[in-house]
Amino acid sequence: MSESLAFERRRNGDYCLSGELDRDTVPQFWSRRSEWLPTESRIALDLSSVKRVDSAGMAMLLHLQQQLKLNQQTLALLNIPSQLKVLLQLSNVECLFTDDTSSVHGE
């Protein structure tokens, strides 16, 4: 069983996603996005506490980036897990997080 996802705002203004970002946790988490979706114009999302990522998790981040862009918000991903880096590269979508409106940071 997957560890549930948690989304929290840190004192420094950044957000943190923790838990497992996979097909078991994404649907319920995404369906509640109105409860956690940030309203700031620039969002920094730290992924250092994400323990596991699969293609469903990657898809959720792509949808998040798209929704924020539609709201004229920008997304910066921080401390991207190596699993996610590989998925983004294999899917040839890492450029979606490195254009003028979003960026990928961290090792």
Side-chain angles (χ1 to χ4, degrees), residues 20-52:
E20 295 184 15
L21 190 56
D22 62 20
R23 65 185 176 93
D24 295 326
T25 62
V26 165
Q28 182 181 20
F29 186 76
W30 186 252
S31 69
R32 297 187 338 257
R33 69 187 172 278
S34 63
E35 298 170 18
W36 57 262
L37 199 63
T39 57
E40 296 86 359
S41 62
R42 181 157 170 68
I43 295 103
L45 182 58
D46 184 353
L47 301 176
S48 62
S49 295
V50 172
K51 295 182 172 116
R52 181 179 181 287

Side-chain angles (χ1 to χ4, degrees), residues 50-62:
V50 172
K51 295 182 172 116
R52 181 179 181 287
V53 182
D54 68 8
S55 58
M58 179 187 68
M60 187 198 87
L61 291 171
L62 290 167

Side-chain angles (χ1 to χ4, degrees), residues 21 72 86 105:
L21 190 56
Q72 299 180 342
V86 169
H105 301 282

